[in-house]
Amino acid sequence: MAEETRPTDFIREIVAEHLRSGKHQRIVTRFPPEPNGYLHIGHAKSICLNFGIAREFGGVCNIRMDDTNPTKEEAEYVQSIMRDVRWLIDGWADQNIGLKHFDTVPTRVSDDFQQSAIRNQKSEILPEPLYTSDYFDNLYQYAVELTRRGRAYVDEMSPEQTDEYRRIGKESSFRDRPVDENLDLLARMKAGEFPDGAKTLRAKIDMQAPNVWLRDPVLYRIRHAEHHHTGAKWRIYPMYDWAHTLSDYIEGITHSLCTLEFEVHRPLYEWILDALELSAPRPRQIEFARLNLDYTVMSKRKLIQLVHEGFVTGWDDPRMLTISGLRRRGVTPSALRTFAHEIGVTKYPSLNETALLEHAIRNEFNRTAIRRLAVLKPIKVVLTNYPAEQVEQLDAINNPEDPNAGTRKVPFSRELYIDAQDFAEVPPPKFFRLKPAGEVRLKYAYIIRCDEVVKNAAGEIIELRCTVDLESKTGGATSNRKVKGTVHWVSAPHAFDTEVRLYDRLFTVPEPDADGDFKKHINRNSLKIVTAKCEPSLRDAQPDERYQFERLGYFSLDLDSTTDRQVWNRVVTLRDTWAKVAKR
RNA sequence: UACCCCGUGGUGUAACGGUAACACAGCGCCCUUUGGAGGCGUUAUUCUUGGUUCAAAUCCAAGCGGGGUAGCCA
């Protein structure tokens, strides 16, 4: 399997070296989402990287909610994130997930601290992730320690002034406050004595540093806000750099993998570990390029606009590249993992073609999907020389790629449906399908010839009257006759109707946000709903099964399905070389 | 503007100083009771210029191009 071939990237090389040299005995990575939105395929890349490394090197990947900003985060997102992560790694890295250990918060009390993996019990109750906010006490103690060491101070400048001073490299007049005063002020900040924005705790580094993140970054800000996880306990909240670095340290993370935009934060990450003189082994931050895909947008901000402004039906709209959208559409975790594996991991900010994702899906589904016959846009075909009351049960192969999938019976009768696209009254060149006086094979059945095109008053085609070569059935005398085209069909009296949702890309251009106005490139025809005619055996279709409607694509049952009416999602079309030829 | 990072076929990745490999996409042919799948073939003076070396995609320098950062967001 593709995902089993050994992937080697610069991060895995570093990890392997750290194991070889004995710097670490056991690898601990982490996936640290902020619970302020749904996970998307870019997060999937990160999940596959972090859990993949834990899995390959026999380590652990902690899942930690990076919840340091009470005004932006909500508990409901925690549930969706957990669901998405577990779905994506299920059956693959279950043994490597690091969760909250029986309600015990990790506390690094010794150098050999190690986070334990918790077995995925597959219970209905979602296990609890780790939370940065569980370390708030710890983080505060570290802040006191930093202040005591004279490496931090309480500042009173306004946000605007702080920005301005940072830009020009000027020191705050509060910078050289005595340690005792800083300690006192910090304690009073914590006690809630000051209003929002009145004071901050700042690291005392170097206001002239070329890297602006070293120009006395803010470590704590005052926020009189309720936190989704810690409630009303805190009035000061740590900033990302402080919280993330020390959470990594507390959990014994060995490799802290993040995206490129945090590259300039790394000196600060290391400064924090140094300033506190924290004992080895220390975590190491390594950055990689985030996932970019063509014909889509990836940021949470833009995805949320698509939802709120009604361009899609929700976070799990099958057109959305959120994990929940992909899941609903019918993409499997394994296909997503294969995709993540195939795009690789580098520091080059690339733009990947969505075609690669489609390929990963097709490649897997070709091996696993059950073949069925369905007609999306029916045209009636009447076989004039076939007995009116006769019904044959023909053998059809369930999956030519998998002999064990066996066969099934498909009813055949005098009246059928074929797809409108498989008939042309005035055929273009190289049209191998049905045309007046032309022949075509009905898959698993007979060769037919079109004798007559019947139209209504409006000139629309009502039915095709055809004759069937009665000897041409599989195993028959003329079954091996050379006929250029083969077409799918369904017996009219036996077929049943279903709703089928056909999806196209959400945007019309490869880089919708290149000009800063992605909404004007939205594809208004990204969803088409049709009523399809399906062969009877499809009545038993299962939600977790993937189907190929022959010659059309791969389909999956949508959760809107009821006992009365099935709703299908087209996950991806089949490769269609004829469509390309026809275009020219 | 300052600082940091990155430049290998159309796209993405590999080659770890020894003469450019793989996947996807495209195109052509073969095969086919899915115009699917499969098989075969085809696409690169490794951004530029200089330097080091017997030897450079790999090391060094400059230029050019792209990306990131400059929230009391993460």
Side-chain angles (χ1 to χ4, degrees):
Chain A
M1 209 170 198
E3 80 181 75
E4 295 304 329
T5 63
R6 198 211 176 103
T8 175
D9 53 66
F10 76 102
I11 295 176
R12 277 175 242 252
E13 279 174 15
I14 292 168
V15 171
E17 173 54 30
H18 286 165
L19 241 22
R20 205 178 304 127
S21 70
K23 180 181 177 186
H24 299 294
Q25 276 69 55
R26 183 148 176 261
I27 300 304
V28 187
T29 57
R30 104 265 94 107
F31 176 65
E34 183 187 14
N36 69 343
Y38 282 68
L39 261 28
H40 55 65
I41 192 169
H43 295 106
K45 174 182 180 179
S46 177
I47 292 166
C48 291
L49 209 216
N50 281 294
F51 279 94
I53 286 174
R55 181 177 176 274
E56 288 155 39
F57 294 94
V60 171
C61 177
N62 288 354
I63 170 158
R64 177 171 81 224
M65 297 299 145
D66 208 2
D67 55 351
T68 58
N69 188 349
T71 60
K72 288 195 174 178
E73 295 143 8
E74 293 169 37
E76 63 159 292
Y77 290 121
V78 175
Q79 293 312 310
S80 79
I81 288 169
M82 290 306 289
R83 183 173 182 220
D84 289 348
V85 172
R86 283 164 51 91
W87 173 79
L88 187 55
I89 69 170
D90 184 51
W92 179 68
D94 302 11
Q95 316 304 320
N96 307 277
I97 186 168
L99 300 160
K100 195 181 287 192
H101 209 99
F102 303 110
D103 232 22
T104 304
V105 174
T107 311
R108 180 158 167 170
V109 291
S110 62
D111 295 350
D112 61 356
F113 169 86
Q114 283 183 347
Q115 171 68 30
S116 322
I118 292 180
R119 301 287 286 254
N120 180 347
Q121 302 297 329
K122 298 202 177 183
S123 63
E124 289 307 308
I125 302 156
L126 292 174
E128 268 248 89
L130 298 156
Y131 292 87
T132 297
S133 57
D134 277 338
Y135 314 138
F136 279 177
D137 281 311
N138 244 293
L139 263 24
Y140 179 76
Q141 285 313 312
Y142 278 127
V144 169
E145 173 61 20
L146 189 74
T147 307
R148 188 175 290 133
R149 288 165 178 256
R151 311 294 296 272
Y153 61 97
V154 173
D155 199 3
E156 296 176 27
M157 295 201 298
S158 67
E160 298 72 29
Q161 206 169 13
T162 306
D163 287 355
E164 176 63 12
Y165 275 41
R166 194 167 8 228
R167 255 192 295 280
I168 60 180
K170 187 175 167 186
E171 295 182 356
S172 166
S173 56
F174 303 100
R175 196 173 195 263
D176 292 315
R177 238 192 253 278
V179 169
D180 286 346
E181 199 178 319
N182 284 320
L183 254 13
D184 175 59
L185 255 16
L186 177 57
R188 290 165 61 191
M189 281 168 64
K190 180 180 182 244
E193 286 188 30
F194 311 113
D196 285 9
K199 291 180 171 50
T200 58
L201 181 72
R202 289 233 257 163
K204 193 171 180 178
I205 309 181
D206 177 4
M207 286 308 290
Q208 264 80 248
N211 181 337
V212 293
W213 286 102
L214 259 18
R215 318 244 258 231
D216 292 10
V218 172
L219 266 22
Y220 271 90
R221 77 286 218 184
I222 300 169
R223 282 263 197 289
H224 292 264
E226 189 101 351
H227 186 283
H228 71 93
H229 191 64
T230 60
K233 182 177 178 187
W234 293 87
R235 265 116 326 190
I236 57 172
Y237 290 92
M239 297 289 290
Y240 164 81
D241 295 282
W242 184 254
H244 202 90
T245 305
L246 292 169
S247 298
D248 282 348
Y249 184 76
I250 289 166
E251 292 181 7
I253 301 299
T254 56
H255 302 269
S256 183
L257 314 180
C258 59
T259 44
L260 253 25
E261 61 267 32
F262 294 102
E263 209 155 23
V264 291
H265 290 241
R266 189 174 359 115
L268 176 54
Y269 189 99
E270 275 156 16
W271 183 90
I272 292 170
L273 297 171
D274 280 342
L276 257 13
E277 294 183 85
L278 295 175
S279 60
R282 292 177 178 177
R284 164 145 170 213
Q285 175 179 312
I286 306 170
E287 312 84 18
F288 63 95
R290 69 184 321 141
L291 172 66
N292 296 301
L293 280 178
D294 60 5
Y295 295 98
T296 191
V297 293
M298 203 64 86
S299 81
K300 278 184 199 168
R301 207 197 94 247
K302 287 165 200 146
L303 293 177
I304 208 165
Q305 282 186 67
L306 293 175
V307 174
H308 289 343
E309 294 172 31
F311 295 110
V312 295
T313 57
W315 286 103
D316 68 343
D317 186 300
R319 290 166 291 180
M320 294 279 275
L321 258 17
T322 50
I323 293 182
S324 51
L326 290 159
R327 175 172 57 228
R328 178 165 177 182
R329 182 160 175 158
V331 177
T332 55
S334 51
L336 232 30
R337 276 185 248 125
T338 301
F339 170 70
H341 170 263
E342 288 178 343
I343 55 174
V345 178
T346 67
K347 299 190 77 160
Y348 179 73
S350 57
L351 179 65
N352 289 268
E353 293 177 336
T354 305
L356 194 57
L357 172 62
E358 293 177 350
H359 172 262
I361 297 167
R362 287 194 190 106
N363 204 33
E364 176 179 308
F365 288 14
N366 177 50
R367 293 192 309 267
T368 58
I370 294 166
R371 271 59 169 179
R372 289 293 183 262
L373 298 177
V375 172
L376 296 186
K377 192 181 177 195
I379 296 187
K380 180 168 274 186
V381 169
V382 178
L383 304 175
T384 52
N385 63 331
Y386 194 85
E389 299 308 319
Q390 184 172 316
V391 175
E392 287 182 87
Q393 297 293 335
L394 304 177
D395 288 309
I397 294 164
N398 285 331
N399 184 352
E401 303 291 321
D402 177 13
N404 295 325
T407 62
R408 69 185 182 285
K409 297 291 187 187
V410 182
F412 184 89
S413 67
R414 177 183 165 92
E415 296 200 354
L416 315 168
Y417 292 113
I418 65 167
D419 244 310
Q421 57 170 32
D422 288 330
F423 175 78
E425 201 172 4
V426 186
K430 294 202 176 174
F431 188 77
F432 302 160
R433 306 171 186 187
L434 196 59
K435 54 194 171 194
E439 278 190 325
V440 82
R441 178 183 299 279
L442 298 174
K443 179 102 187 193
Y444 304 125
Y446 299 90
I447 295 170
I448 60 170
R449 170 185 301 276
C450 176
D451 303 315
E452 190 188 349
V453 181
V454 182
K455 296 181 185 175
N456 63 12
E460 296 160 338
I461 297 173
I462 296 298
E463 67 175 47
L464 269 19
R465 299 186 73 80
C466 302
T467 47
V468 54
D469 174 354
L470 294 165
E471 299 300 314
S472 65
K473 190 170 67 170
T474 304
T478 55
S479 68
N480 290 326
R481 265 177 61 203
K482 271 284 184 203
V483 171
K484 200 61 172 159
T486 301
V487 142
H488 59 279
W489 55 275
V490 108
S491 168
H494 300 91
F496 71 107
D497 287 356
T498 65
E499 175 175 330
V500 177
R501 298 174 180 171
L502 307 170
Y503 304 107
D504 195 1
R505 50 170 68 124
L506 257 179
F507 294 92
T508 56
V509 295
E511 290 181 86
D513 203 39
D515 60 5
D517 188 9
F518 72 99
K519 279 188 275 185
K520 82 173 178 223
H521 302 297
I522 287 178
N523 176 9
R524 300 285 169 173
N525 303 309
S526 58
L527 169 63
K528 200 161 93 190
I529 298 176
V530 300
T531 300
K533 300 284 184 187
C534 295
E535 69 161 273
S537 71
L538 234 21
R539 287 206 139 92
D540 305 322
Q542 299 300 310
D544 54 356
E545 196 76 61
R546 300 294 173 269
Y547 298 86
Q548 183 195 111
F549 292 174
E550 292 217 37
R551 304 206 312 130
L552 296 173
Y554 296 101
F555 294 79
S556 168
L557 234 28
D558 188 82
L559 72 228
D560 281 348
S561 296
T562 64
T563 43
D564 297 330
R565 186 170 173 86
Q566 291 179 347
V567 177
W568 289 90
N569 293 317
R570 183 175 66 196
V571 187
V572 66
T573 62
L574 250 32
R575 258 182 93 233
D576 190 353
T577 39
W578 166 241
K580 287 174 207 149
V581 175
K583 248 185 180 169
R584 293 187 293 209

